Amino acid sequence: MKKLAIAATITASVFTLAACNSEDPEVVVESEVGEITKEEFYNELKDRVGEGLLYEMVILQVLENNYEVTDDEVDARVQQTKDQQGDNFEMYLNQQGLQNEEEFRDQTYQMLLQEKMAFEDVEVSDEEIEEEYNRMKTEVEASHILVEDEETANDIKSQLDEGADFAELAQEYSTDEGSAEEGGSVGYFSSGEMVPEFEETAYALEVGDISEPVQSQFGYHVIKVTDKRDKEDFASLEDMKEDIRLELSYSKVDQTAFQEKINKLIEDANIDVKIEEFENIFDVQEASAQG
């Protein structure tokens, strides 16, 4: 969802304006070139952003009715971000389209509400966190031979098993021209820098091991790990534990189940929209999400 706090502020203004009477219009802007009434302003806002903002406001109410986020939780998440950003916090707010810390607190509150719903069926163990931490702090040096088809990849693996030189085969067969010139070397990389299939395989291999063919969006890789090393000055597990827990939690969210849960909350809320143009927006939103 979008930034609900900002949306709520604007929408509150929009629907306050709705109370005006067209027979006795209240002027909100006067100038030598004309004037603008509340009704004109309201109609313009409603046409431009009304549907989306109204949807967001109702979803916020639905979440608040079913989940609770405390001030302490908001404080902790805000402070976590401030600690991470340091002197760049103000720049970070600007990049997020936020004017001040209070808007960021509102956004954080709404994000935590969504997380309460998204993560209530998600479990992340300390063992998973430690495993991910160990991967994040480790750099892997590897080489690969990339080919288009599995048959060629299997043939290359067979040649390697019989003692063929990896670098020579990379120069002869690999379609990754940049690494092929270096004997297949892709240098050192960290978690998140390679396609998942390549990364999973490389981190699982011991130094000196050669993988079976691994398929990715680029073709078939035969991977050889040549070194592993710890990153310098890497943060401690204790410092990174909650960040990793959050990241792993998001990775485990079932998006279909997430949307179904929202749809159920909407259904249970018995929402009745009184504005004719928007009376079916929750049906539309649900249908579009499912389709």
Side-chain angles (χ1 to χ4, degrees), residues 78-257:
V78 170
Q79 189 59 50
Q80 181 181 4
T81 303
K82 293 177 78 170
D83 290 343
Q84 291 170 342
Q85 297 298 323
D87 294 338
N88 296 319
F89 181 65
E90 292 297 327
M91 182 185 301
Y92 172 80
L93 293 182
N94 292 333
Q95 291 172 343
Q96 301 301 309
L98 303 173
Q99 297 184 23
N100 51 51
E101 186 174 327
E102 190 58 37
E103 285 189 0
F104 178 62
R105 288 184 62 84
D106 288 342
Q107 185 186 72
T108 300
Y109 166 74
Q110 294 147 18
M111 182 61 68
L112 287 169
L113 271 176
Q114 295 173 61
E115 289 176 6
K116 293 274 186 175
M117 180 182 71
F119 298 163
E120 63 182 349
D121 299 321
V122 170
E123 293 184 6
V124 176
S125 68
D126 288 342
E127 289 76 14
E128 289 176 295
I129 293 173
E130 185 172 359
E131 180 181 344
E132 181 63 19
Y133 172 78
N134 288 333
R135 174 178 292 194
M136 292 172 66
K137 75 172 185 177
T138 302
E139 291 181 314
V140 176
E141 182 184 47
S143 299
H144 79 143
I145 302 171
L146 177 65
V147 294
E148 294 181 356
D149 61 276
E150 187 175 12
E151 182 179 354
T152 303
N154 285 328
D155 177 57
I156 290 170
K157 181 60 167 64
S158 295
Q159 293 184 57
L160 291 169
D161 290 342
E162 293 171 3
D165 183 78
F166 194 98
E168 291 180 0
L169 292 182
Q171 292 171 346
E172 179 180 354
Y173 286 99
S174 185
T175 59
D176 180 4
E177 296 179 1
S179 68
E181 294 177 359
E182 304 297 327
S185 175
V186 296
Y188 284 95
F189 59 89
S190 302
S191 177
E193 294 180 1
M194 294 292 186
V195 291
E197 300 87 352
F198 189 105
E199 181 179 308
E200 289 290 334
T201 301
Y203 271 93
L205 292 172
E206 298 295 332
V207 175
D209 287 350
I210 298 175
S211 74
E212 296 295 327
V214 178
Q215 185 178 15
S216 78
Q217 66 194 73
F218 300 108
Y220 289 84
H221 309 259
V222 177
I223 303 167
K224 180 179 181 179
V225 170
T226 52
D227 190 25
K228 290 186 179 182
R229 67 186 183 189
D230 286 345
K231 295 180 181 178
E232 295 182 2
D233 301 321
F234 198 67
S236 68
L237 173 59
E238 189 62 31
D239 289 340
M240 297 192 64
K241 190 170 186 177
E242 291 311 310
D243 282 343
I244 296 173
R245 186 187 302 278
L246 183 62
E247 181 180 335
L248 291 177
S249 296
Y250 270 110
S251 71
K252 290 187 173 188
V253 173
D254 184 323
Q255 294 299 325
T256 300

